[in-house]
């Protein structure tokens, strides 16, 4: 039905006078149109006019009754029950008594006219259509169950509905007392067509639920129609039967439903209200604390105390006193612990340190001392310090709590490893800690590995070999340890060979060869052994060993490179060195390949010791042509990166410039190759670049930042900074910034600077020079003859 | 949120062996392929208390805000459903009937 449009009163009067002039047939057509459009008020006016002008036409009266019916429903649906009743009276006046007493009865019930409703119900009950009767009686039953005394008193005492209501009340009373059998018996006496049928389902469902038959209960509740007035009760019961999250059920309830749900969930009214309001209380720890305190009795002392206790670190320190006054005093340690955690949560690290130290002091007085607890707190204190980029001067302080923790818990490996990690840059501290770790954890493979690495770095190869042998005794298949052991023997052998102890060196190399079962050292022990054998005066045996070593080294170039490098490191003398260098130079005549090139990279990077980079650089220089030819090979981006980094590391700048230029052309988006190119051009910062190059580097740094490649941007910045050391002219604005910076942050004293002070500061010499140079340049440009204008002028 | 001890169903004073045994029992109950969420919860609980060091750390430094569900559960755990009296039913009905009217047709 279309929604009726409201018509202003003036318009209606105008329209009324208009339609009085219309012929009946036309007016009837219009009235029908309004009726069909849902404009019942207008239709009523027209039909009433037609009933006056043609009183003998029964069709108009029937149509008027239909229009009234539509209007009554329309008004009643808006809750205007009295107005609907007036319209019903008008309908009866103009159209005669209606046969539909159900509408009148419903209007009386909805209008709260209980007496009249009860009277009409008694009169017309039998005459009502069965479906209509059932709907009205169910509503009356619901009213009776809601405790509507006015209606109950108005109904005839012997009416069926009142008799059934009494039975239901008895059943409810029996149910409330837990007398389920009696309740079911009472309910059983009600006919299946009873208006209390839906309520019976609810009561039976609750009884089934209490008996643990949750499925049956849900089935019974499912029988209640969605339009039933008992549906809210059914919904409440449905929520509580098998409710997993009781709190959620309570939180979603309001008013009387809360009490019913609370009872079904086992909560008294106060508790039900408390839980229903929980969301508000959770807005802040403080409001929750107050909430729990104010409802302490509902919670019970133990639960309230434990909840408030858990909240204490999240609240201001003064809350601890409130807690202690309300519940019980805290132990001193616990008070400090809560204070410390609270400070941590508020990012007050000084406060946290103080509180933890106070807690530690208390623990230290206990007998016996709880060592584990003390160690745990010390470790925690160390963890409160910034973990990244610990300044060097702070390391000794940083490790104090960690060392303290080890005093109480010596075998805590992660702490040993942590200290070793942070003291890496402090050899003395590192060695001390390594010694302590070895004492506490003598059979720990990780600690032994660190000890052996450290010994190799210090040149204590014998010691390193002992550590690694211990590891292999514990873990015979530890390949890292085996590699270290081979290296330790090789390094020790080299050391002995350098001092002319060829026989002892030979033993070390033999040992290295013995441990290198998988040839991970690529024939190096045999080559070294061959060299010392030659020097010991056994040329034949020595040559045999060298041949064996070369065969184990893989590509020929790698073996020859290793040999030349070993000869250099062992300082064998110019005769031997020349022989091996010449042999290596011969490689320049062979065609390069990637396997050999990357093999060289690997070999160089495996070299240990302070002299190794220098030796590598010298020997690599002999392969200059070979590497240059390798430029023609096709590389992936990752391979190009490895090669550029390698060439940069060993200072092979001309080669680096070529490789980087080729890669930069192939991958123009990869700024790192441009950086390598400029690094080579600047000879690692030793050579001054042109202003244009610096501008290009600035631009590249910006591009790298734009690509979120902060590593490359940092490398470029470092290169630019190196250039400062080589006399790059500072830009005026940078000089000015430096000048301003020197004013704002004077090196001595911390007095405030006034505006007037600016005039007293000496202008830096460099800035003056720069300004002077600019002036001269400008002057030169102005004085340029007409035929020799500067670039800019010539363009126009 | 339940404590790791509650998740593993062990006493707070349980030792390493008891905790490991409880963990393995729970893993059997919630295999990762069948109950990944529960397994994850059990795994995380075990990691928090698997040895004396971790248990000490948990005891000393674990201080999350009390979980809403946790304290409500504490409150509701001992409650037993009660039988509503007729007035409770009547009140719910009375409130509902202020809006729900007798059908007109």
């Amino acid at each position: 039905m279309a929604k009726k449009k409201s018509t202003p009163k003036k318009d209606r009067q105008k329209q009324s006078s208009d339609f009085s002039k219309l012929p009946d047939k036309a007016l009837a057509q219009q009235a029908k149109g309004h009726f069909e459009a849902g404009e019942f008020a207008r239709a009523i006016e027209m039909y009433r006019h037609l009933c006056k002008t043609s009183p003998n036409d029964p069709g108009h009266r029937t149509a008027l009754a239909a229009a009234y019916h539509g209007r009554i429903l329309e008004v009643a649906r808006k809750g205007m029950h009295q107005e609907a009743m007036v319209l019903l009276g008008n309908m009866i006046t103009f159209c005669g008594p209606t046969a539909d007493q159900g509408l009148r009865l419903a209007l009386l019930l909805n209008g709260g006219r209980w007496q009249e409703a009860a009277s009409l119900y008694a009169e017309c009950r039998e005459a009502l259509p069965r479906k209509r009767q059932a709907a009205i009686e169910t509503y009356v039953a619901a009213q009776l169950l809601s405790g509507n005394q006015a209606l109950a008193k108005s109904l005839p005492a012997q009416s069926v509905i009142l008799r059934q209501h009494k039975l239901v009340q008895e059943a409810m009373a029996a149910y409330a007392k837990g007398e389920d059998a009696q309740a079911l018996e009472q309910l059983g006496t009600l006919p299946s067509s009873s208006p209390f049928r839906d309520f019976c389902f609810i009561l039976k469902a609750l009884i089934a639920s209490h008996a643990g038959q949750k499925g049956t209960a849900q089935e019974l509740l499912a029988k209640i129609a969605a339009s039933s007035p008992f549906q809210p009760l059914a919904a409440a019961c449905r929520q509580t039967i098998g409710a997993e999250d009781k709190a959620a059920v309570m939180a979603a309830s309001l008013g009387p439903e809360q009490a019913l749900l609370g009872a079904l969930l086992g909560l008294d009214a106060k508790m039900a209200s408390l839980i229903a309001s929980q969301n508000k209380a959770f807005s802040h720890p403080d409001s929750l604390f107050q909430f729990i305190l104010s409802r302490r009795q509902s919670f019970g002392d133990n639960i309230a105390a434990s909840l408030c206790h858990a909240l204490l670190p999240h609240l201001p320190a003064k809350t601890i006193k409130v807690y202690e006054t309300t519940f019980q005093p805290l132990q001193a340690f616990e008070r400090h612990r809560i204070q410390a955690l609270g400070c941590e949560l508020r990012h007050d690290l000084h406060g946290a340190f103080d509180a933890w130290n106070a807690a530690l002091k208390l623990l230290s007085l206990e007998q016996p001392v709880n060592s584990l607890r003390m160690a745990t707190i010390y470790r925690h204190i160390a963890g409160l310090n910034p973990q990244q980029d610990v300044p060097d001067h702070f390391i000794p302080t940083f490790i104090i709590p960690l060392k303290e923790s080890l005093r109480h818990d010596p075998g805590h490996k992660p702490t040993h490893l942590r200290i070793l990690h942070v003291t890496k840059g402090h050899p003395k501290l590192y060695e001390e800690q390594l010694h302590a770790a070895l004492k506490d954890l003598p059979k720990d493979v990780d600690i032994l590995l660190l000890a052996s690495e450290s010994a190799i770095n210090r040149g204590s190869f014998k010691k390193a070999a002992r550590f690694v042998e211990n590891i292999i005794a514990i873990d015979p298949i530890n390949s890292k340890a085996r590699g270290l052991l081979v290296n330790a023997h090789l390094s020790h052998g080299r050391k002995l060979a350098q001092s002319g102890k060829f026989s002892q060196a030979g033993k070390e190399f033999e040992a290295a060869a013995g441990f290198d079962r998988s040839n991970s050292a690529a024939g190096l022990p045999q080559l070294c052994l061959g060299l010392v054998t030659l020097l010991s005066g056994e040329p034949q045996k020595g040559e045999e060993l060298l041949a064996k070593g070369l065969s184990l080294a893989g590509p020929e170039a790698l073996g020859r490179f290793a040999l030349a490098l070993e000869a250099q490191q062992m300082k064998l003398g110019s005769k031997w060195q020349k022989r091996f260098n010449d042999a290596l130079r011969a490689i320049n005549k062979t065609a390069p390949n990637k396997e050999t090139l990357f093999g060289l990279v690997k070999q160089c990077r495996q070299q240990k010791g302070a002299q190794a980079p220098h030796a590598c650089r010298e020997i690599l220089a002999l392969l200059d042509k070979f590497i240059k030819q390798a430029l023609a090979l096709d590389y992936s981006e990752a391979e190009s990166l490895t090669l550029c980094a390698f060439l940069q590391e060993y200072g092979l700048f001309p080669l680096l410039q070529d490789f980087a230029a080729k890669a930069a052309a192939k991958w123009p988006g990869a700024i790192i190759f441009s950086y390598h190119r400029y690094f080579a051009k600047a000879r690692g910062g030793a050579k001054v670049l042109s202003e244009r190059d610096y501008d290009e580097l600035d631009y590249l740094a910006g591009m790298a930042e734009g690509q979120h490649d902060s590593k490359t941007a940092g490398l470029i910045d470092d290169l630019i900074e190196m250039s400062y050391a080589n006399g790059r002219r500072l830009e005026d604005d940078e000089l000015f910034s430096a000048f301003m910076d020197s004013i704002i942050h004077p090196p001595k004293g911390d007095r405030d600077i006034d505006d007037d002070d600016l005039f007293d500061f000496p202008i830096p010499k460099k800035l003056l020079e720069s300004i002077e140079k600019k002036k001269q340049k400008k002057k030169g440009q102005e004085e340029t003859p007409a035929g020799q204008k500067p670039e800019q002028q010539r363009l126009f | 949120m339940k404590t790791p001890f509650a998740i593993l169903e062990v006493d707070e004073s349980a030792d390493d062996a008891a905790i490991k045994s409880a963990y393995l029992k729970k893993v059997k109950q919630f295999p990762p392929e069948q109950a990944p969420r529960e397994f994850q919860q059990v795994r995380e609980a075990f990691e928090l208390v698997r040895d004396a060091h971790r248990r000490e750390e948990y005891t000393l430094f674990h201080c999350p805000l009390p979980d809403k569900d946790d304290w409500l559960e504490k409150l509701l755990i001992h409650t037993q459903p009660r039988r509503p009296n007729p007035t409770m039913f009547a009140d719910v009905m009375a409130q509902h009937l202020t809006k729900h009217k007798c059908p007109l047709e």
Side-chain angles (χ1 to χ4, degrees):
Chain A
M1 203 178 281
K3 197 180 172 187
K4 182 190 161 271
K5 287 179 187 171
S6 62
T7 315
K9 199 177 176 184
K10 271 188 183 174
D11 289 354
R12 278 207 306 271
Q13 282 169 351
K14 194 181 170 190
Q15 283 169 3
S16 176
S17 57
D18 285 349
F19 68 64
S20 61
K21 291 168 191 165
L22 284 173
D24 280 5
K25 203 173 173 184
L27 187 59
Q29 276 292 330
Q30 274 197 17
K32 194 182 171 196
H34 284 297
F35 178 77
E36 282 171 357
E39 295 163 4
F40 302 116
R42 188 79 181 132
I44 289 168
E45 272 187 83
M46 289 179 171
Y47 282 127
R48 275 177 65 175
H49 183 78
L50 283 168
C51 285
K52 273 185 203 167
T53 52
S54 310
N56 296 328
D57 188 340
H60 295 324
R61 211 159 292 279
T62 312
L64 177 62
Y68 264 118
H69 191 262
R71 179 70 179 149
I72 289 165
L73 293 182
E74 188 181 54
V75 171
R77 279 187 193 120
K78 288 179 185 169
M80 298 155 75
H81 305 292
Q82 296 306 325
E83 289 80 352
M85 282 301 296
V86 171
L87 284 168
L88 185 65
N90 290 347
M91 184 175 111
I92 293 165
T93 309
F94 292 114
C95 310
T98 172
D100 185 6
Q101 291 292 4
L103 176 64
R104 189 161 173 236
L105 183 51
L107 286 174
L108 288 169
L109 286 168
N110 289 345
R113 290 156 73 167
W114 308 117
Q115 210 169 351
E116 291 168 73
S119 160
L120 183 61
Y121 169 72
E123 270 176 40
C124 71
R125 180 179 179 269
E126 299 302 327
L128 289 170
R130 183 174 285 272
K131 208 176 160 189
R132 190 100 177 88
Q133 183 195 4
I136 289 174
E137 285 192 334
T138 305
Y139 184 77
V140 172
Q143 284 289 353
L144 292 173
L145 272 179
S146 76
N148 189 334
Q149 290 301 315
L151 181 62
K153 279 178 191 165
S154 305
L155 285 166
Q158 293 308 309
S159 63
V160 177
I161 201 159
L162 276 187
R163 280 210 310 273
Q164 290 186 2
H165 180 222
K166 200 177 168 197
L167 284 171
V168 169
Q169 280 182 312
E170 285 168 6
M172 277 165 78
Y175 162 76
K177 281 191 245 168
E179 295 162 357
D180 292 344
Q182 199 189 332
L184 287 170
E185 196 184 324
Q186 297 281 11
L187 294 174
T189 57
L190 290 167
S192 61
S193 60
S194 164
F196 294 96
R197 179 175 171 267
D198 287 348
F199 186 75
C200 289
F201 286 143
I202 291 167
L203 217 50
K204 283 178 184 172
L206 287 174
I207 291 168
S209 166
H210 293 308
Q213 298 160 1
K214 289 177 180 166
T216 312
Q218 295 288 15
E219 278 171 28
L220 285 162
L221 293 172
K223 288 182 182 179
I224 299 165
S227 58
S228 168
F230 294 100
Q231 191 51 244
L233 280 182
C237 297
R238 214 174 282 126
Q239 283 183 73
T240 55
I241 293 169
E244 291 277 324
D245 191 350
K246 294 179 181 181
V249 171
M250 289 310 301
S253 66
L254 285 166
E257 196 190 11
Q258 216 174 69
L260 177 69
L261 289 172
L264 289 171
L265 293 170
L267 307 165
D268 58 32
K270 205 173 170 185
M271 187 67 85
S273 144
L274 182 153
I275 294 173
S277 59
Q278 43 145 328
N279 281 338
K280 215 186 246 177
F282 258 95
S283 58
H284 191 270
D286 188 45
S287 59
L288 181 57
F289 188 82
Q290 296 305 331
F291 175 83
I292 296 167
L293 280 192
S294 64
R295 290 164 177 82
R296 212 175 119 191
Q297 284 182 333
S298 306
F299 279 97
D301 260 6
N302 285 346
I303 292 176
S306 87
L307 288 170
C308 288
H309 184 266
L311 282 168
L312 287 176
H314 303 269
L315 295 166
K318 62 182 180 188
T319 321
I320 295 175
K321 261 191 181 171
V322 179
Y323 174 88
E324 289 184 315
T325 318
T326 314
F327 298 105
Q328 63 205 0
L330 292 167
Q331 285 188 352
F333 172 79
E334 185 59 3
R335 202 178 303 122
H336 291 311
R337 186 187 79 92
I338 289 169
Q339 276 170 352
L341 291 174
C343 289
E344 285 177 28
L345 289 169
R346 292 187 290 276
H347 307 290
D348 170 12
L349 289 188
H350 287 295
F353 285 130
D354 290 347
W356 282 125
N357 280 323
L360 282 167
K361 203 172 174 185
L362 284 172
L363 283 179
S364 67
L365 299 173
E366 282 179 7
Q367 280 305 330
V369 171
N370 187 339
S371 297
L372 178 61
R373 179 154 289 187
M374 290 190 76
T376 309
I377 294 175
Y378 275 122
R379 280 195 290 271
H380 182 75
I381 290 175
L384 292 177
N385 287 316
Q387 299 296 297
Q388 297 292 323
D389 303 324
V390 182
D392 260 10
H393 67 272
F394 186 58
I395 300 287
T397 317
F398 180 84
I399 61 169
I400 290 173
L402 288 172
K403 286 178 95 170
E404 275 299 309
S405 88
L406 286 176
R407 203 163 60 82
H408 294 282
D409 184 14
H412 197 249
K413 183 177 158 183
T415 305
H416 279 295
L417 292 175
R418 177 95 186 100
I419 302 179
L420 289 169
H421 178 75
V422 293
T423 55
K424 249 183 181 171
H426 292 253
K428 199 180 164 199
L429 285 175
Y430 186 83
E431 285 307 317
E432 271 176 25
Q433 194 51 43
L434 201 53
H435 183 73
L438 281 168
K439 194 179 157 198
D440 292 338
L441 302 158
K443 290 191 175 175
D444 187 276
V445 170
D446 294 321
I447 302 289
L448 285 167
L449 269 173
L450 288 173
S452 57
E453 276 171 355
S454 169
I456 289 173
N457 290 339
R458 287 197 320 273
S460 308
F461 304 112
K462 247 182 166 174
K463 213 172 183 182
R466 270 207 311 276
F467 287 135
V468 183
E469 275 158 15
N470 281 346
I471 298 172
I472 289 172
I474 298 162
D475 178 12
I477 54 163
N478 192 317
S479 57
K480 195 178 175 187
R482 234 163 233 286
L484 276 174
L485 190 56
V486 171
N487 269 331
H489 283 298
L490 281 175
S491 303
H492 193 204
R494 281 185 197 115
K495 199 175 163 187
L496 291 166
Q498 278 169 11
S499 50
K501 297 172 182 169
F502 301 125
S503 166
Q504 285 164 282
K507 280 180 190 166
E508 288 298 320
F509 295 137
E510 269 175 23
F515 281 112
D516 191 22
R517 287 180 209 158
S518 58
N519 189 30
S520 62
L524 208 53
Q526 289 78 8
L527 288 174
C528 292
L529 189 57
L531 285 174
V532 290
T533 312
L534 279 177
L535 292 168
S536 309
E538 295 179 73
Q540 198 184 343
K541 196 181 169 192
E543 293 295 348
E544 277 171 17
L545 282 164
L546 288 184
K548 192 182 175 189
L550 286 170
S551 70
L552 288 170
E556 200 181 358
L558 296 182
R560 291 191 190 185
F561 178 81
L563 203 47
L565 192 61
E566 287 302 331
Q568 168 97 341
Q569 287 184 298
M570 287 187 205
K571 296 174 183 159
L572 297 188
S574 56
K575 182 189 147 195
W576 291 107
Q577 191 67 52
K578 188 174 180 307
R579 177 191 155 181
F580 298 126
N581 285 0
D582 289 346
L584 181 62
R585 270 196 204 95
I587 295 296
N588 283 319
K589 290 173 188 162
T590 62
N593 59 65
K594 287 211 263 183
E595 188 195 353
T596 307
L597 193 61
F598 287 100
L600 287 172
V601 173
K602 193 179 165 192
Q603 265 196 32
C604 288
R605 289 193 168 155
Q606 278 175 344
Q607 298 302 315
K608 306 269 180 196
Q611 295 303 313
H614 177 71
C616 283
R617 193 176 301 128
E618 279 195 8
I619 303 300
L620 274 172
L622 301 173
L623 286 173
D624 182 65
K625 283 179 188 161
F626 178 82
I627 300 172
K628 197 162 191 172
Q629 285 175 61
L631 183 64
L633 299 172
D634 190 32
Y635 302 102
S636 69
E637 192 177 348
E639 286 170 337
S640 295
L641 271 173
T642 307
L643 286 175
C644 287
F646 166 71
L647 294 170
Q648 181 167 316
E649 193 179 336
Y650 290 97
L652 303 171
F653 296 124
L655 288 168
L656 173 62
Q657 199 159 354
D658 293 343
F659 273 85
K662 188 185 170 191
K666 195 172 175 184
W667 296 285
I671 313 292
I672 185 75
F673 294 120
S674 301
Y675 156 74
H676 282 303
R677 194 160 59 85
Y678 278 105
F679 191 91
K681 199 176 174 185
R683 297 293 184 264
K687 197 177 154 191
V688 182
L689 292 172
S690 69
E691 285 298 318
R692 199 171 159 183
D693 287 336
Y694 285 119
D695 288 345
E696 180 67 14
L697 278 170
D698 277 336
Y699 172 73
L700 288 170
M703 284 240 312
E705 286 287 0
Q707 291 174 2
H708 306 290
D709 182 0
S710 52
K711 193 182 166 190
T712 304
L715 288 170
I716 296 172
D717 287 343
D718 289 346
L719 182 59
I720 295 171
E721 266 180 38
M722 272 193 273
S723 79
Y724 281 116
N726 291 306
R728 184 198 166 192
R729 186 173 59 81
L730 289 169
E731 293 293 341
D732 292 348
D733 54 351
E734 287 168 333
L735 277 168
F736 188 70
S737 303
F739 170 47
M740 288 305 291
D741 198 45
S742 70
I743 293 170
I744 296 162
H745 306 291
K748 279 179 188 172
D750 50 4
R751 72 181 175 95
D752 291 335
I753 305 295
D754 295 325
D755 286 350
D756 295 343
D757 289 348
L758 291 173
F759 299 102
D760 298 334
F761 270 80
I763 298 173
K765 198 180 164 192
K766 263 198 163 180
L767 181 59
L768 286 172
E769 282 172 5
S770 175
I771 293 165
E772 192 57 36
K773 268 186 191 173
K774 268 206 165 173
K775 270 185 194 168
Q776 283 177 4
K777 199 177 170 187
K778 205 176 169 189
K779 203 177 166 188
Q781 279 173 355
E782 282 165 3
E783 287 169 0
T784 309
Q788 295 171 13
K789 282 181 181 175
E791 190 75 17
Q792 190 103 13
Q793 287 175 10
R794 264 186 275 140
L795 284 172
F796 295 100
Chain B
M1 203 178 75
K2 285 181 178 176
T3 67
F5 301 103
I7 292 168
L8 296 170
E9 290 183 46
V10 288
D11 194 77
E12 295 203 3
S13 58
D15 61 7
D16 292 5
I19 286 172
K20 192 168 182 183
S21 157
Y23 168 65
L24 294 175
K25 199 173 147 192
K26 283 279 168 190
V27 170
K28 269 186 194 169
Q29 192 184 342
F30 302 114
E33 62 279 6
Q34 283 171 26
R37 219 179 65 185
E38 288 84 352
F39 172 77
Q40 180 71 13
Q41 198 188 22
V42 168
R43 177 82 210 167
E44 281 169 10
F46 176 62
E47 288 301 329
L48 280 173
V49 295
R50 63 186 299 172
D51 56 44
H53 287 105
R54 292 178 195 223
R55 286 197 292 282
E56 192 63 36
E57 278 175 17
Y58 179 83
T59 313
L60 285 171
F61 314 123
H62 191 75
C63 63
L65 268 175
D67 185 78
K68 182 177 76 177
D69 296 334
D70 185 34
W71 71 261
L72 285 176
E73 197 182 309
K74 274 183 191 166
L75 268 179
L76 297 172
I77 202 158
H78 300 301
T79 57
Q80 284 299 321
R82 286 183 294 111
R83 290 169 183 247
N85 57 42
T87 317
M88 289 177 183
F89 288 120
D91 289 347
V92 174
M93 288 304 300
Q95 196 204 28
H96 174 60
L97 290 173
T98 56
K99 288 176 197 159
H100 187 100
K101 294 294 173 187
C102 182
L104 296 166
E105 289 183 289

